[in-house]
């Protein structure tokens, strides 16, 4: 067993930068005057954790340092033999222009990008989900004119303990024809192509991303005038919706706020009709109202939740618990001079945390504790030895916000709340796994230029699989020779 205790600053990890051509010409930027500003994504990584690495192949412990390089961004997802290409969306949504000039700053309409969204999600996908899954309420819900429709109106049974719905298709059709809008949250949980987009955005933006679906069969207004506490990227699939956007009433509103953001701004709205293949970005806090005007209408919303200054300050205060005087009782009954001295000490300690290094540490911490993708692969669960693997086994990375960095004693991997330290050659393997869709063992071995033996790559993959960071899909199952 090798027990590694790590408490160290880590160099910045590689950043995926995807170029996009002619974005400026295609993007219609709306209402620059009431746009909102977010700082650009930090790409650093953080670690301060204990990791236990047993059964590590000795080949990975004492080899020469290899250069750190992540190949050009490759965003594809392979599932059951099907390759899903989401590079078009990556080119747009992870471009420097979109991340630095649009995301979180201004309402932006990008028409005619169907070739970039492709056949990402459609009516048949929604039908299959509703037919084969028993969703809970309110994850699956109907809304009409700002009112949530009771689930009993379209379900034959609602489980009182779990909230799971036994849908009645006839009643569901009736409600939708009567003007209700169907909302289904977290589509990525059951749809592989949408999950590929979420993985791509989490990796490229370093933030929490979820996708919801909205479907209307007739012209309708599902929600009242409202605002969202996260940035929204709309991918319109079919039909058309008219968006009325009023801007912000309170800058940077939060759900948990001292002053409720309950009164919309008193101004004329902007009207934006969004059709099939269009993309629309609405920053956090912008009041808006949406009506289906060409039906049937279906769109996905990508919600991107990013940290605020309040989040950073709250985390910084928690880090001060290491300070004895911070844990001390307040000097309630002491003289004024003692109180002033104590307050000066608190300010001094807090200001030591509130600097660029502290901000970078916080952002690294967020990446380090981000949850890996939920993916169950029972075949991988019984893999325990090299003899069970073949060179054609597919490797699928499950922690899109994981970061790899080179340190003095090797390579550090930060993912799922832990830090692992490996020997230098592991960095090349990790770089390839994080930037490739679903390579085989032989693909990884070939990419390394035969510098690392195939059985070493396989042993390392097994370790990552046991840690929950990787899943192995054995396309050829039994006892293939690894040579």
């Amino acid at each position: 067993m090798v027990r590694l205790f790590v408490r160290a600053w880590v160099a910045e990890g590689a950043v995926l930068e995807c170029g996009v051509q002619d974005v400026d010409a295609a993007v219609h930027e709306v209402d620059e005057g009431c746009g909102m500003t977010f700082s650009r994504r930090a790409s650093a990584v953080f670690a301060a954790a204990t990791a236990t690495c047993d059964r590590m192949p000795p080949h990975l412990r004492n080899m020469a340092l290899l250069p750190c390089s992540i190949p050009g961004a490759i965003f594809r997802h392979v599932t059951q033999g099907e390759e899903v290409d989401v590079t078009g969306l990556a080119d747009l949504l992870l471009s420097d222009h979109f991340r630095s000039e649009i995301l979180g700053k201004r309402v932006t309409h990008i028409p005619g990008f169907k070739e970039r969204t492709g056949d990402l999600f459609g009516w048949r996908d929604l039908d299959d989900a509703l037919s084969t899954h028993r969703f809970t309420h309110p994850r699956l819900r109907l809304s009409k004119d700002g009112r949530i429709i009771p689930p009993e109106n379209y379900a034959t049974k609602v489980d009182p303990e779990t909230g799971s719905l036994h849908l009645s298709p006839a009643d569901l059709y009736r409600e939708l024809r009567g003007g209700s809008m169907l909302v289904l949250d977290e589509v990525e949980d059951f749809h592989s192509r949408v999950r590929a987009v979420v993985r791509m955005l989490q990796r490229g933006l370093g933030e929490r991303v979820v996708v919801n679906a909205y479907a209307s069969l007739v012209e309708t207004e599902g929600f009242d005038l409202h605002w969202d506490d996260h940035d929204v990227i709309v991918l319109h699939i079919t039909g058309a919706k008219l968006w009325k956007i009023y801007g912000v009433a309170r800058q940077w509103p939060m759900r948990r706020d001292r002053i409720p953001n309950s009164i919309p701004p008193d101004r004329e709205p902007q009207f934006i009709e969004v059709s099939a293949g269009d993309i629309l970005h609405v920053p956090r806090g912008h009041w808006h109202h949406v009506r289906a005007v060409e039906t049937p209408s279906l769109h996905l919303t990508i919600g991107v939740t990013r940290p605020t200054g309040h989040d950073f300050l709250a985390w910084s205060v928690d880090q001060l618990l290491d300070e004895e005087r911070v844990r001390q009782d307040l000097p309630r009954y002491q003289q004024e001079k003692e109180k002033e001295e104590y307050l000066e000490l608190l300010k001094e300690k807090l200001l030591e945390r509130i600097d660029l290094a502290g901000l970078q540490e916080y952002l690294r911490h967020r990446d380090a504790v981000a949850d890996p993708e939920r993916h169950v692969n029972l075949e991988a669960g019984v893999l325990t030895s090299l003899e069970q693997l073949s060179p054609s086994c597919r490797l699928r990375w499950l922690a899109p916000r994981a970061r790899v960095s080179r340190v003095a004693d090797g390579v550090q991997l930060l993912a799922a709340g832990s830090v692992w330290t490996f020997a230098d050659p592991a960095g090349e393997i990790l770089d390839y796994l994080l930037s490739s869709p679903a390579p085989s063992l032989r693909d990884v071995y070939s990419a390394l230029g035969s510098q690392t033996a195939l059985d070493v790559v396989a042993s390392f993959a097994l370790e990552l699989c046991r840690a929950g960071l990787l899943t192995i899909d054995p396309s050829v199952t039994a006892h293939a020779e690894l040579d």
Side-chain angles (χ1 to χ4, degrees):
M1 174 182 292
V2 178
R3 185 173 293 276
L4 303 167
F5 184 71
V6 182
R7 191 176 295 276
W9 286 104
V10 187
E12 286 198 350
V15 186
L16 298 178
E17 296 289 352
C18 304
V20 59
Q21 297 179 349
D22 300 324
V23 171
D24 291 326
V27 170
H28 292 196
E29 296 176 352
V30 183
D31 192 15
E32 299 182 8
C34 68
M36 306 174 77
T37 304
F38 273 100
S39 60
R40 294 193 55 192
R41 177 179 64 91
S43 60
V45 291
F46 167 76
T50 301
T52 301
C53 304
D54 53 3
R55 304 180 304 279
M56 278 302 302
H59 315 67
L60 291 177
R61 295 189 186 132
N62 296 293
M63 292 183 169
L65 181 66
L66 298 176
C68 174
S69 63
I70 289 187
I74 303 172
F75 295 110
R76 287 184 174 86
H77 174 57
V78 177
T79 176
Q80 298 179 349
E82 175 189 11
E83 184 176 276
V84 180
D85 190 345
V86 293
T87 52
L89 274 176
D91 288 342
L92 173 65
L93 301 181
L94 299 183
S95 67
D96 283 339
H97 179 76
F98 189 89
R99 290 189 298 181
S100 63
E101 301 299 327
I102 296 176
L103 183 62
K105 286 188 173 182
R106 56 177 66 118
V107 175
T108 305
H109 181 209
I110 308 172
F113 271 65
K114 187 171 180 60
E115 69 276 9
R116 293 182 182 271
T117 58
D119 298 322
L120 178 62
F121 188 83
W123 288 104
R124 178 164 294 182
D125 299 302
L126 183 57
D127 291 342
D128 288 345
L130 297 176
S131 300
T132 59
H133 293 70
R134 189 167 292 172
F135 295 106
T136 60
H137 184 273
R139 180 184 179 184
L140 172 63
R141 59 195 181 277
L142 300 186
S143 179
K144 180 180 179 181
D145 298 328
R147 179 175 58 88
I148 299 298
I149 304 301
E152 291 79 10
N153 287 20
Y154 51 93
T156 58
K157 179 182 177 182
V158 181
D159 191 298
E161 294 184 358
T162 66
S164 63
L165 304 176
H166 299 244
L167 292 177
S168 166
D171 292 333
L172 179 63
Y173 304 154
R174 185 192 67 248
E175 290 292 339
L176 293 175
R177 288 195 303 266
S180 293
M181 176 181 67
L182 183 147
V183 183
L184 181 56
D185 293 342
E186 298 178 336
V187 175
E188 69 277 6
D189 276 359
F190 62 84
H191 193 273
S192 62
R193 295 193 297 273
V194 174
R195 186 161 56 248
V197 172
V198 169
R199 184 185 305 113
M200 172 264 291
L201 291 176
Q202 287 181 334
R203 175 67 180 166
L205 299 177
E207 306 296 356
R208 180 175 180 267
V209 176
V210 297
V211 177
N212 300 338
Y214 299 81
S216 302
L217 297 186
V218 298
E219 292 190 13
T220 183
E221 298 176 355
F223 295 145
D224 284 336
L225 181 62
H226 68 284
W227 59 276
D228 294 311
D229 62 352
H230 52 270
D231 296 330
V232 171
I233 302 170
V234 176
L235 306 180
H236 204 88
I237 309 299
T238 63
K241 287 187 170 75
L242 181 64
W243 288 68
K244 293 192 290 186
I245 304 177
Y246 294 79
V248 298
R250 174 174 170 79
Q251 291 290 343
W252 316 115
M254 300 173 62
R255 289 298 178 192
R256 188 170 71 87
D257 209 332
R258 287 180 57 83
I259 301 176
N261 187 37
S262 56
I263 301 177
D266 184 16
R267 66 173 66 136
E268 290 297 315
Q270 301 164 344
F271 294 88
I272 304 175
E273 184 168 317
V274 182
S275 305
D278 289 2
I279 296 175
L280 177 67
H281 169 56
V282 181
R284 168 168 69 103
H286 279 60
W287 288 80
H288 57 275
H289 185 273
V290 186
R291 178 179 178 82
V293 293
E294 181 183 318
T295 56
S297 178
L298 174 65
H299 77 266
L300 301 177
T301 64
I302 301 172
V304 182
T305 301
R306 298 193 285 170
T308 67
H310 179 271
D311 296 323
F312 172 47
L313 288 174
W315 178 84
S316 299
V317 170
D318 285 343
Q319 307 316 299
L320 292 177
L321 290 174
D322 290 338
E323 298 288 342
E324 180 179 299
R325 296 297 300 275
V326 173
R327 302 193 307 271
Q328 175 185 330
D329 295 339
L330 290 174
R332 181 170 186 171
Y333 304 109
Q334 278 66 36
Q335 299 297 320
E336 294 300 314
K337 182 179 179 181
E338 292 182 65
K339 292 179 181 178
E340 291 176 357
E341 290 175 350
Y342 180 74
L343 290 175
E344 286 299 319
L345 175 65
L346 289 185
K347 285 190 289 186
E348 177 185 339
K349 293 299 182 183
L350 183 58
L351 289 176
E352 288 176 359
R353 302 287 316 182
I354 308 301
D355 59 8
L356 182 58
L359 177 60
Q360 296 286 17
E361 182 181 351
Y362 171 62
L363 295 172
R364 293 164 185 164
H365 167 77
R366 282 175 56 82
D367 279 336
V369 301
D371 291 332
E373 179 184 337
R374 270 195 320 273
H375 179 79
V376 176
N377 180 0
L378 296 180
E379 288 183 287
V382 299
L383 296 175
T384 58
S385 65
L386 295 182
E387 288 74 21
Q388 295 173 283
L389 302 183
S390 75
S392 59
C393 285
R394 291 283 183 177
L395 310 179
R396 176 176 165 183
W397 190 255
L398 299 179
R401 288 175 63 179
R403 305 297 174 186
V404 179
S405 60
R406 269 58 177 181
V407 292
D409 55 348
V411 177
Q412 283 188 336
L413 169 67
L414 299 93
S418 296
V419 112
W420 288 266
T421 297
F422 302 116
D424 299 322
E428 289 283 311
I429 302 175
L430 291 168
D431 287 345
Y432 191 79
L433 290 173
L434 265 68
S435 62
S436 303
S440 66
L441 280 173
R442 184 179 286 111
D443 292 334
V444 180
Y445 171 70
S446 299
L448 297 178
S450 302
Q451 299 181 64
T452 305
L454 185 55
D455 65 330
V456 174
V457 177
S459 297
F460 189 43
L462 277 175
E463 291 300 324
L464 295 173
C465 185
R466 292 186 184 108
L469 302 177
L470 182 79
T471 186
I472 301 176
D473 294 321
S475 54
V476 176
T477 52
H479 310 291
E481 183 178 357
L482 292 172
D483 54 12

